[in-house]
């Protein structure tokens, strides 16, 4: 009986430690205190068939972080795309099947807007300033990840999907 109690206590302690490392239940990441939910990542995954190579959830999470920062940086420089522009782009690629109640989820619109803005900054004189603002934001933001998605590592391009060292992999 004592062994069962020890196992149960160990499991509770491990769950508590893991939960303490994560931003919270249902949260994929926090960026300067703003939550990106696991539902938003799931919504973004609906765009998978439209990518050349289907993304991993961690890739969508990194894109959502970058999208929000890029939308803000672009707006500050007069470059942007509205949610309506994002919806029009999604309609043009035949993504209507991922609509919910006749509209696209906000996360999906953010990803579409990022795509539009990325194309705009390539030819806009203000494009360099937008990229600089984006890089400054990503370098200084307080970004916390749910370990399920990896860890934020700007040097690795955003997300390091290597398993944490506390996870033993079979060899």
């Amino acid at each position: 009986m004592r062994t069962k109690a020890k196992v149960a206590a160990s499991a509770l302690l491990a769950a508590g430690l893991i939960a303490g490392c994560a931003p919270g239940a249902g949260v994929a990441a926090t960026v300067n205190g703003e939550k990106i939910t696991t539902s938003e990542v799931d919504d973004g995954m609906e765009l998978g068939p439209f990518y050349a190579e289907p993304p991993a959830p961690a890739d969508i999470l990194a894109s959502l972080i970058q999208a929000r920062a890029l939308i803000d940086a672009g707006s500050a420089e007069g470059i942007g795309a509205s949610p309506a522009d994002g919806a029009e782009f999604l309609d043009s690629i035949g993504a209507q099947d991922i609509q919910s109640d006749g509209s696209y989820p906000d996360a999906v619109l953010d990803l579409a807007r990022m795509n539009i803005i990325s194309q705009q900054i390539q030819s806009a004189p203000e494009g360099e300033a937008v990229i600089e603002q984006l890089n400054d934001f990503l370098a200084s933001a307080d970004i916390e990840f749910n370990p399920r998605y990896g860890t934020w590592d700007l040097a690795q391009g955003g997300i390091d999907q290597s398993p944490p060292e506390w996870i033993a992999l079979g060899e």
Side-chain angles (χ1 to χ4, degrees):
M1 194 69 168
R2 242 186 148 125
T3 304
K4 286 183 183 181
K6 284 182 183 179
V7 170
S10 296
L12 286 174
L13 178 60
L17 289 173
I18 292 169
C21 297
V27 177
T30 59
V31 181
N32 294 336
E34 182 181 332
K35 294 177 183 177
I36 297 176
T37 67
T38 56
S39 294
E40 290 173 301
V41 173
D42 292 343
D43 288 343
M45 288 297 294
E46 293 292 321
L47 286 171
F50 299 96
Y51 285 84
E53 188 173 314
D59 298 326
I60 293 295
L61 179 55
S63 292
L64 285 170
I65 291 168
Q66 294 166 358
R68 292 174 183 177
L70 184 61
I71 290 167
D72 290 345
S75 177
E77 295 295 328
I79 298 174
S82 68
D85 294 332
E88 185 177 313
F89 170 77
L90 291 164
D91 288 345
S92 77
I93 64 170
Q96 294 87 345
D97 288 349
I98 63 174
Q99 290 183 352
S100 176
D101 297 326
S103 61
Y104 293 102
D106 289 340
V108 171
L109 288 173
D110 285 348
L111 294 171
R113 292 170 69 193
M114 178 178 72
N115 185 28
I116 295 166
I117 294 168
S118 294
Q119 291 175 11
Q120 291 174 352
I121 63 174
Q122 291 178 17
S123 60
E126 305 85 5
E128 193 172 311
V130 172
I131 292 170
E132 188 174 313
Q133 285 184 41
L134 174 64
N135 289 336
D136 288 347
F137 174 82
L138 294 174
S140 66
D142 178 19
I143 301 173
E144 293 182 42
F145 271 74
N146 180 323
R148 163 183 173 189
Y149 296 96
T151 57
W152 182 254
D153 185 349
L154 194 56
Q156 294 290 326
I159 294 184
D160 179 1
Q161 295 181 46
S162 302
E165 41 185 73
W166 47 268
I167 294 179
L169 299 175
E171 295 187 31

